[in-house]
Amino acid sequence: MTWSKSPAGSGTTAVDVDADGSGDTGQARLRELGYKQELKRDLSLLSNFAFSFTIISVLTGVTTLYNTGLNFGGPATMTFGWFVAGAFTMTVGLSMAEICSSFPTSGGLYYWSARLSGNRWSPFASWITGWFNIVGQWAVTTSVDFSLAQLIQVIILLSTGGNNGGGYLASKYVVIAFHAAILLSHALINSLPISWLSFFGQFAAAWNMLGVFVLMIAVPAVATERASAKFVFTHLNTDNSAGIHNNLYIFVLGLLMSQYTLTGYDASAHMTEETKNADKNGPIGIISAISISIVVGWGYILGITFAVKEIPYLLSPDNEAGGYAIAEVFYLAFKSRYGSGVGGIVCLGIVAVAIYFCGMSSVTSNSRMVYAFSRDGAMPLSPVWHKVNKHEVPINAVWLSAFVSLCMALPSLGSLVAFQAMVSIATIGLYIAYALPIFFRVTLARKHFVPGPFNLGRYGVLVGWVAVLWVVTITVLFSLPVTYPVTKDTLNYTPVAVGGLFILV
């Protein structure tokens, strides 16, 4: 395989066609960056997009944190806050896509930081970026699969009579067992050849897309009482038990639902070494996953919120779903129409499958990050985690990712407050990792960055600065207290978790 440099300023860094005639510019670019091809390039643009879209999974994020959205601002925060978070997330995605096009490797963010920060800062920059990225990804898998375990707990509760009808509420030990079983199945699936993962990824993307449309139409359609458009678009819920009544403060806290949902699209970058024409398809995968998620996510929020009537009751731990708001919305919608909440339980099953695939794709992305990071010798026992099996799958990295995600959920047995730190790391930790290479691109590498086939032209620096400033903003916002008065049980552990991670790294 051969390649050649493009003329300075041409906007590309690799030849258009490999020596083997494959036309795969991404493969030539990988060799040019100093890596040999070890993973099988079977992923199309659709498959690459599918992994990011499935990890973003609006059914997962919105469902998991709908209680937060209702509690802090309610309908107005969710409907308009979604677009605020979505617009700024798109600037982050565009900047990442531009860098991905220039450096299409499985390492993604940490490799970008290394190349963009200059010789003096390269080791430190890549080390910090890589560890924030990898721990953030593990935290995402932990929170996603644990949220699925909790949803299964609610489904069982409703299926056996509900909270007020003698239904079975699984203990925290049973929930952690669910979590372990889910992770085991994800590790087994991710041990299959990439062609199988490609199939599951595309199926998962289709399931997420169709699931959103089914739920956003079915739930408000069967509800006997629906909220008014005025309620859905303008009602700001300031009645919360957190002791917070400032409208702006409430609004920004409610953004967590949207921002937590719109994470994980770096998967397209981590899958580039298994993607055809990765310097083009990787960036497109990032942008398309974000943009489509923004549209379908808003539709999902609208559809569910039109079935919302009494916010305090939906958040009450004494309702049939034990305070799980979306489950109660689904259950009541069908029960009010048909006298039975079975249809609502089926709807929850649709969401559960989507969350399951989200966790599956998270493990896929995790393992590729571990594979790349250990390939560069940045992890303890790096040769072990870099091992690839006969199916060209980084098998040890897969099982390490599943095991670490299980360990990160164990604090939930002692305190759910401690477990919330994992969600904090998942959101803030990942976005710090997203912002670092962008920051280096608009500062230290501003004059010598050579863009790939996908680039923002003269707007690259402007978009990059907007992205960096947004990450700084949400890092501050999501570190604010969420309950007053502040005690050891109500403290927002985000700065503790993220600051502790930084010091440890």
Side-chain angles (χ1 to χ4, degrees):
M1 181 183 300
T2 60
W3 60 83
S4 63
K5 292 276 190 179
S6 297
S10 67
T12 59
T13 54
V15 294
D16 291 332
V17 181
D18 275 355
D20 60 7
S22 67
D24 193 333
T25 57
Q27 189 160 322
R29 183 62 180 137
L30 178 66
R31 292 288 296 273
E32 188 177 42
L33 295 175
Y35 295 110
K36 66 178 181 178
Q37 184 69 44
E38 294 183 300
L39 305 178
K40 191 174 293 184
R41 284 190 185 272
D42 281 348
L43 298 183
S44 63
L45 169 59
L46 178 61
S47 295
N48 183 282
F49 151 80
F51 280 107
S52 280
F53 182 70
T54 304
I55 294 176
I56 292 176
S57 181
V58 295
L59 288 177
T60 300
V62 173
T63 301
T64 301
L65 290 187
Y66 196 76
N67 278 48
T68 300
L70 281 182
N71 201 41
F72 295 107
T77 295
M78 291 189 289
T79 52
F80 289 106
W82 181 260
F83 279 116
V84 171
F88 284 109
T89 297
M90 182 57 77
T91 67
V92 178
L94 285 168
S95 296
M96 287 173 58
E98 182 180 53
I99 301 172
C100 178
S101 184
S102 186
F103 307 117
T105 74
S106 290
L109 307 169
Y110 84 85
Y111 184 84
W112 305 347
S113 286
R115 293 297 295 263
L116 297 171
S117 59
N119 292 335
R120 180 180 179 184
W121 292 102
S122 177
F124 180 73
S126 61
W127 177 264
I128 292 295
T129 304
W131 278 106
F132 264 107
N133 190 194
I134 200 167
V135 175
Q137 285 192 341
W138 283 332
V140 165
T141 303
T142 303
S143 61
V144 168
D145 281 1
F146 192 78
S147 69
L148 176 56
Q150 291 177 313
L151 181 58
I152 292 173
Q153 176 192 45
V154 173
I155 290 174
I156 293 173
L157 175 65
L158 292 173
S159 300
T160 55
N163 192 41
N164 299 314
Y168 172 73
L169 182 65
S171 70
K172 60 184 179 181
Y173 299 102
V174 174
V175 171
I176 205 71
F178 289 158
H179 177 74
I182 294 165
L183 278 170
L184 175 62
S185 67
H186 285 159
L188 290 171
I189 292 174
N190 274 280
S191 300
L192 298 173
I194 188 62
S195 56
W196 280 90
L197 286 178
S198 175
F199 168 77
F200 283 126
Q202 293 183 46
F203 179 81
W207 184 276
N208 271 273
M209 188 81 73
L210 293 174
V212 165
F213 284 108
V214 168
L215 296 177
M216 65 182 281
I217 294 172
V219 174
V222 301
T224 54
E225 292 184 86
R226 283 181 286 275
S228 65
K230 181 180 179 181
F231 175 85
V232 171
F233 291 105
T234 66
H235 179 68
L236 185 69
N237 178 40
T238 58
D239 181 20
N240 57 68
S241 59
I244 301 173
H245 304 291
N246 179 277
N247 289 355
L248 179 59
Y249 198 169
I250 289 171
F251 181 84
V252 297
L253 290 179
L255 289 177
L256 178 60
M257 182 198 77
S258 303
Q259 200 63 70
Y260 171 76
T261 302
L262 297 172
T263 57
Y265 42 87
D266 57 317
S268 288
H270 295 304
M271 300 305 294
T272 49
E273 291 186 33
E274 294 161 270
T275 302
K276 301 170 185 175
N277 297 312
D279 52 353
K280 301 182 183 71
N281 292 339
I284 295 173
I286 293 172
I287 300 306
S288 57
I290 296 172
S291 56
I292 294 175
S293 293
I294 290 172
V295 174
V296 299
W298 195 60
Y300 182 53
I301 291 171
L302 284 184
I304 302 309
T305 308
F306 267 109
V308 168
K309 292 295 291 183
E310 299 179 28
I311 294 177
Y313 176 73
L314 294 178
L315 295 172
S316 171
D318 296 324
N319 64 32
E320 293 294 344
Y324 201 115
I326 275 193
E328 188 69 16
V329 170
F330 291 175
Y331 189 77
L332 288 181
F334 282 86
K335 190 171 183 178
S336 64
R337 173 74 66 178
Y338 303 110
S340 170
V342 173
I345 296 173
V346 172
C347 289
L348 289 176
I350 294 175
V351 175
V353 173
I355 299 177
Y356 181 84
F357 282 125
C358 177
M360 178 203 75
S361 296
S362 293
V363 173
T364 306
S365 182
N366 291 178
S367 63
R368 272 52 182 184
M369 174 62 195
V370 171
Y371 159 81
F373 213 36
S374 59
R375 176 176 60 186
D376 286 324
M379 293 187 65
L381 304 175
S382 285
V384 176
W385 314 127
H386 177 232
K387 184 178 180 180
V388 177
N389 69 6
K390 64 179 182 180
H391 299 300
E392 299 181 13
V393 171
I395 189 72
N396 293 343
V398 167
W399 287 91
L400 174 67
S401 296
F403 177 73
V404 172
S405 295
L406 173 62
C407 293
M408 291 179 79
L410 294 179
S412 66
L413 295 175
S415 169
L416 283 177
V417 173
F419 175 71
Q420 290 303 316
M422 299 305 161
V423 179
S424 301
I425 294 175
T427 305
I428 302 302
L430 269 186
Y431 267 94
I432 289 175
Y434 293 174
L436 285 172
I438 301 173
F439 175 73
F440 298 134
R441 182 262 184 269
V442 298
T443 54
L444 298 176
R446 179 173 180 173
K447 294 183 178 180
H448 62 77
F449 173 71
V450 180
F454 179 93
N455 64 84
L456 303 177
R458 60 180 179 175
Y459 298 105
V461 173
L462 174 61
V463 173
W465 272 117
V466 172
V468 170
L469 291 175
W470 175 246
V471 174
V472 172
T473 300
I474 62 173
T475 300
V476 173
L477 292 180
F478 297 156
S479 297
L480 297 173
V482 295
T483 303
Y484 288 89
V486 178
T487 67
K488 65 180 179 66
D489 294 323
T490 61
L491 175 69
N492 184 351
Y493 283 88
T494 298
V496 177
V498 176
L501 174 60
F502 179 79
I503 293 171
L504 181 63
V505 167

